[in-house]
Amino acid sequence: MGRRILNTLDCPIIKFNVLPDPEKPVCLNVKYDKNAAFAAGSTFPDFMVSVISEDSNIIKNINPGRVSMKIWEGQSSGNRVPANVTTLGCSKVKDGKDEGFFYFRDKMVPERVGTYSIQFAFAIDKTNVLSSEQIIIEVVANDPVQLLPESLPATPVVSNVRTVASRTLIKDLCLHIKDEYNNRTGYDLVGKIIAAIKSSSEEDTEIPVFQGKVKTIEFPFNRGSAEIINLVLAENSPGRDSTEYILEFEADLPALAKPLEPYRLSFMFYNDFKKQQRMATLTREKDELSKSIAVYRNMFDTTEQLITEMKYQVQEAETKQSHLKNELKQHQINIPQTSILQYVDSLIKQKRLEQEGVKKSPRRACTLSNYPKDNQDILGKIAHLAQIEDDKAAKVISWHMASDMDCVVTLTTTAARRIFDETQGRQQVLPLDSVYKKTLPDWNRTLPHLRNGRNHFRPIGNPVFARDLLTFPENVEHCQIVFGMLLGDTIIIDNLDAANHYRREVVKITHCPTLLTREGDRIRSNGKFGGLQNKAPPMDKLRGMVFGAPMPELYSVLSGQIDLLQQYRTAVVKLHSVNQDLHLQLQSLNTPEMQKRKQELAEQEKSLKLIEEKLGMTPSGKGTESLLPLEALDISDIQSCRYPASTCSCALQCKGPP
């Protein structure tokens, strides 16, 4: 069996670069103070978020509504976000600065101590979301403000008889330091707790005393807690029969600058043992009723707070919608009273078609191939760094800079040297880190015929600095260095006669820079003009080495209108949503179940008042607040959809009153 001979063919090697897409988002960059502490209920440090493209640059012209901040308790495995997240929008950028950056300012830290996760998200489209890495934070307790028990004790009922059990105020009570959000804190504090008995009436001089006939007792305080064990009244202690007294625990902590709010516990004092036993039963009933009333009041208060917050959201949404509607009017866009969403959607579609038409319309373009931007230190060829709107100015400036148009600008000499090596020295390069910037012209300098804001002479021919006709799509600061160095103070003027007149007058007072005319002539800074070397050829002779024209102004106008319409559409949907939520919440107040709870609360408050009268206690007031603020809320308070259900056709199925 013969051997098979394999022959290999020589073929050319084709090298190609895959260029990164400058419009494709790949990650989110989040900056914030990583040394900041997250105290419960305080304000987060400012978060600055930007969307990074494949070419490692920041993507601009992004609707802020597409960037959000999510926060939830605990940690998630991988990049998964749980269902119970709080979503926050970004803050308004001040003075329109920092394009491409989204700030999250004045966001509140959760009130509960624990581990939380933060993640930022960018909605690429309706289905795809780009998320940042999760930021894990530890929320710690805020400043200590109060002394509270681990669990609320029952109201003590005591007498001054011989039996110790009948004289015991506290058997076992643990007091902790807490912040205003009920988080434990003060673990590093050391001191003492001073217990004292006070009367609810300043006129009462018969104050009970503790065992040993002392008025105060001290307990050690360590690591944020104090154990109160067996606090007993003295036998035959003074005190007025059937009277309510207050047991006060005050913290003495030298390291604490601001004193804590003491913990106060009311108790009933009797001189009669049998009466004490009877009243103890009533006191237990009172405590049970107080707990039940507290639950009811908490529920009603939460409902009231929720409705208040919902009304605020409705007000905010109305203000936002009204503001956007007024902005649209300034663009001669009037929104109809009916079929709002259908109208806005069709208008957005129409504006996008117009925008696409403007984008595809023919305009001057630089046909010189750009250098691949495979490195963030490469800005590109000079011909691609700037755009000029006026055709005549574009022709003469492009011709004037013809020897520089093909030059690749880099941020560093290292990047420039790499390009030089790759092209065997054939590609000219300009590294900006080698430019002496102190000799660059002032970009805001006035024309030479102006002195102290006044004309030294009246110029003709509309002179203007050539650099003022340039627009830079990106890297503005770097481009100002490049063109400030290459163009200097070169001036554009209408024609040769105007240029000669201008130069003749300027040299009387100062040096005159190079003058270029819109007809294509050049007067050098030394005064020379004329000849082929000082006359720009026709545009087609420049072989594509010409600065391109920027997108027509209409394109940016349409972009702004589309963005406003999208924001308005979001505001309309948001207003309807919050109105519907408020409407449903107000309806829930009048359900039979809610009415039954109100009745039960009223009955329990009445029973509590009777028991407190029997005990001779001061009415607590906590459970006897009027329900008027809650019952005053009615479904008529809601301002649902602005239009009657019979005429509204916004496709949102409005059901509320007009």
Side-chain angles (χ1 to χ4, degrees):
M1 188 173 179
R3 288 188 304 166
R4 180 180 295 176
I5 299 175
L6 298 177
N7 294 323
T8 58
L9 298 176
D10 292 332
C11 62
I13 298 173
I14 301 174
K15 294 182 179 180
F16 60 91
N17 286 331
V18 178
L19 300 179
D21 185 351
E23 299 298 325
K24 182 179 179 180
V26 293
C27 68
L28 299 183
N29 184 30
V30 182
K31 294 182 179 179
Y32 67 100
D33 182 4
K34 296 183 179 179
N35 296 319
F38 302 95
S42 65
T43 304
F44 276 116
D46 291 353
F47 291 95
M48 185 174 71
V49 181
S50 53
V51 183
I52 307 300
S53 66
E54 274 190 341
D55 64 355
S56 301
N57 288 320
I58 296 171
I59 301 178
K60 300 178 181 178
N61 301 320
I62 291 176
N63 185 343
R66 295 165 65 186
V67 183
S68 60
M69 172 182 177
K70 300 179 185 296
I71 181 169
W72 65 93
E73 189 171 3
Q75 291 181 246
S76 300
S77 57
N79 231 21
R80 292 173 55 190
V81 178
N84 58 330
V85 299
T86 300
T87 302
L88 305 171
C90 66
S91 308
K92 193 172 182 180
V93 177
K94 297 178 181 177
D95 304 324
K97 295 179 180 179
D98 297 333
E99 186 182 5
F101 292 98
F102 304 93
Y103 292 90
F104 292 80
R105 300 186 179 96
D106 304 323
K107 305 302 181 185
M108 297 302 295
V109 176
E111 295 179 355
R112 288 173 52 189
V113 167
T115 302
Y116 289 83
S117 299
I118 297 174
Q119 190 171 53
F120 294 89
F122 167 59
I124 300 174
D125 49 42
K126 291 183 178 180
T127 56
N128 297 306
V129 176
L130 181 64
S131 297
S132 70
E133 292 292 326
Q134 291 179 8
I135 301 171
I136 309 300
I137 64 168
E138 287 295 330
V139 175
V140 298
N142 214 312
D143 295 334
V145 296
Q146 55 193 342
L147 195 63
L148 288 175
E150 191 170 292
S151 58
L152 291 175
T155 303
V157 179
V158 294
S159 64
N160 57 359
V161 297
R162 178 176 294 181
T163 308
V164 174
S166 298
R167 290 186 280 118
T168 301
L169 288 165
I170 298 293
K171 195 168 185 180
D172 190 5
L173 179 69
C174 188
L175 293 176
H176 303 297
I177 291 182
K178 296 191 176 183
D179 63 12
E180 61 179 306
Y181 307 105
N182 211 34
N183 298 304
R184 284 191 58 184
T185 183
Y187 292 100
D188 57 336
L189 296 175
V190 176
K192 59 186 176 181
I193 299 295
I194 302 171
I197 298 174
K198 297 186 178 181
S199 173
S200 55
S201 171
E202 294 181 0
E203 299 175 358
D204 192 357
T205 56
E206 246 186 292
I207 308 295
V209 293
F210 297 115
Q211 195 169 28
K213 303 291 184 180
V214 294
K215 293 183 179 180
T216 61
I217 295 181
E218 297 180 359
F219 297 92
F221 184 91
N222 192 27
R223 298 184 61 81
S225 299
E227 293 286 343
I228 313 298
I229 300 174
N230 289 335
L231 195 57
V232 181
L233 284 183
E235 187 178 344
N236 296 320
S237 168
R240 196 182 300 274
D241 186 47
S242 303
T243 302
E244 178 186 13
Y245 290 97
I246 299 169
L247 183 58
E248 185 176 277
F249 298 93
E250 187 172 2
D252 181 10
L253 306 169
L256 204 59
K258 188 177 179 181
L260 298 177
E261 183 69 24
Y263 173 61
R264 298 178 177 90
L265 176 64
S266 296
F267 69 92
M268 294 302 299
F269 178 84
Y270 298 96
N271 286 325
D272 186 343
F273 174 72
K274 290 183 179 179
K275 189 175 182 181
Q276 175 209 0
Q277 296 300 308
R278 291 196 306 271
M279 294 304 174
T281 303
L282 280 176
T283 303
R284 283 192 291 271
E285 291 181 23
K286 167 193 164 292
D287 289 342
E288 290 299 321
L289 277 173
S290 296
K291 288 179 183 178
S292 178
I293 289 171
V295 172
Y296 274 117
R297 289 308 308 175
N298 184 57
M299 180 188 67
F300 288 129
D301 288 346
T302 301
T303 303
E304 190 173 347
Q305 290 171 8
L306 179 60
I307 290 173
T308 301
E309 176 62 27
M310 285 181 169
K311 285 187 172 182
Y312 176 72
Q313 289 178 358
V314 169
Q315 184 181 353
E316 266 196 332
E318 286 176 340
T319 303
K320 178 74 172 177
Q321 181 178 335
S322 176
H323 172 72
L324 290 170
K325 192 171 185 178
N326 289 333
E327 282 200 39
L328 287 169
K329 281 183 179 179
Q330 293 176 10
H331 288 264
Q332 285 73 51
I333 298 175
N334 294 310
I335 304 297
Q337 295 296 312
T338 58
S339 305
I340 296 176
L341 291 186
Q342 289 91 329
Y343 178 81
V344 170
D345 286 341
S346 64
L347 197 55
I348 290 174
K349 185 177 180 181
Q350 175 191 329
K351 297 287 182 184
R352 280 177 172 161
L353 288 173
E354 288 181 43
Q355 191 182 45
E356 192 63 25
V358 171
K359 188 176 181 180
K360 291 180 178 178
S361 61
R363 68 180 189 278
R364 181 180 6 95
C366 177
T367 58
L368 182 68
S369 61
N370 203 354
Y371 196 84
K373 297 181 185 179
D374 56 355
N375 188 312
Q376 61 183 2
D377 289 337
I378 299 175
L379 298 185
K381 290 185 178 179
I382 288 176
H384 290 276
L385 297 183
Q387 296 172 336
I388 302 174
E389 185 175 1
D390 181 67
D391 286 339
K392 292 180 178 180
K395 181 189 78 169
V396 70
I397 294 174
S398 300
W399 163 74
H400 177 66
M401 296 184 64
S403 62
D404 299 315
M405 297 289 273
D406 187 52
C407 179
V408 176
V409 179
T410 65
L411 297 181
T412 64
T413 303
T414 302
R417 179 70 198 197
R418 185 172 63 82
I419 294 172
F420 178 86
D421 293 339
E422 288 177 353
T423 60
Q424 287 82 47
R426 290 190 298 270
Q427 175 64 60
Q428 58 175 334
V429 289
L430 172 61
L432 293 187
D433 64 355
S434 67
V435 174
Y436 184 65
K437 298 179 178 60
K438 288 187 178 180
T439 57
L440 294 176
D442 180 2
W443 207 264
N444 298 314
R445 183 186 300 170
T446 58
L447 288 163
H449 70 272
L450 293 170
R451 283 291 181 270
N452 299 320
R454 295 183 179 182
N455 283 332
H456 184 75
F457 65 93
R458 186 180 297 277
I460 58 175
N462 304 306
V464 62
F465 281 126
R467 60 175 178 260
D468 291 338
L469 300 178
L470 306 174
T471 57
F472 306 119
E474 53 187 1
N475 303 309
V476 176
E477 291 183 5
H478 297 315
C479 289
Q480 286 183 343
I481 294 173
V482 172
F483 289 91
M485 178 178 60
L486 298 178
L487 269 180
D489 290 329
T490 299
I491 293 173
I492 297 288
I493 200 164
D494 282 349
N495 52 53
L496 190 59
D497 289 337
N500 276 316
H501 171 265
Y502 192 84
R503 178 177 176 81
R504 190 168 58 248
E505 295 298 325
V506 166
V507 295
K508 294 177 182 179
I509 55 174
T510 187
H511 167 76
C512 184
T514 297
L515 303 176
L516 302 176
T517 74
R518 292 179 174 86
E519 294 179 349
D521 295 292
R522 175 171 60 193
I523 301 179
R524 296 181 183 273
S525 60
N526 60 12
K528 283 197 305 182
F529 66 95
L532 291 177
Q533 64 270 39
N534 289 313
K535 182 70 175 179
M539 183 81 80
D540 57 356
K541 299 295 184 182
L542 295 177
R543 295 173 300 175
M545 285 202 305
V546 61
F547 290 110
M551 198 73 75
E553 182 65 25
L554 179 58
Y555 185 88
S556 60
V557 170
L558 289 169
S559 295
Q561 291 177 349
I562 291 170
D563 184 54
L564 275 177
L565 286 166
Q566 289 175 329
Q567 289 185 54
Y568 183 76
R569 188 189 192 283
T570 302
V572 169
V573 175
K574 174 72 172 178
L575 177 58
H576 178 81
S577 174
V578 294
N579 264 327
Q580 288 293 90
D581 290 344
L582 178 58
H583 180 69
L584 292 172
Q585 189 62 42
L586 288 171
Q587 276 187 324
S588 70
L589 297 180
N590 296 321
T591 60
E593 183 182 0
M594 186 63 75
Q595 295 300 325
K596 182 181 177 183
R597 288 175 178 173
K598 290 179 184 178
Q599 184 179 355
E600 288 173 352
L601 175 59
E603 290 173 355
Q604 289 186 9
E605 286 176 335
K606 185 177 179 181
S607 299
L608 178 64
K609 187 176 181 181
L610 290 172
I611 290 175
E612 286 179 335
E613 288 175 356
K614 288 181 181 180
L615 290 171
M617 296 183 71
T618 305
S620 62
K622 291 181 181 177
T624 57
E625 295 174 5
S626 171
L627 281 175
L628 281 177
L630 197 61
E631 294 185 351
L633 295 171
D634 192 76
I635 296 180
S636 60
D637 288 346
I638 187 172
Q639 296 178 8
S640 188
C641 180
R642 288 292 188 184
Y643 320 110
S646 59
T647 61
C648 179
S649 56
C650 67
L652 292 178
Q653 301 178 351
C654 299
K655 297 178 182 178

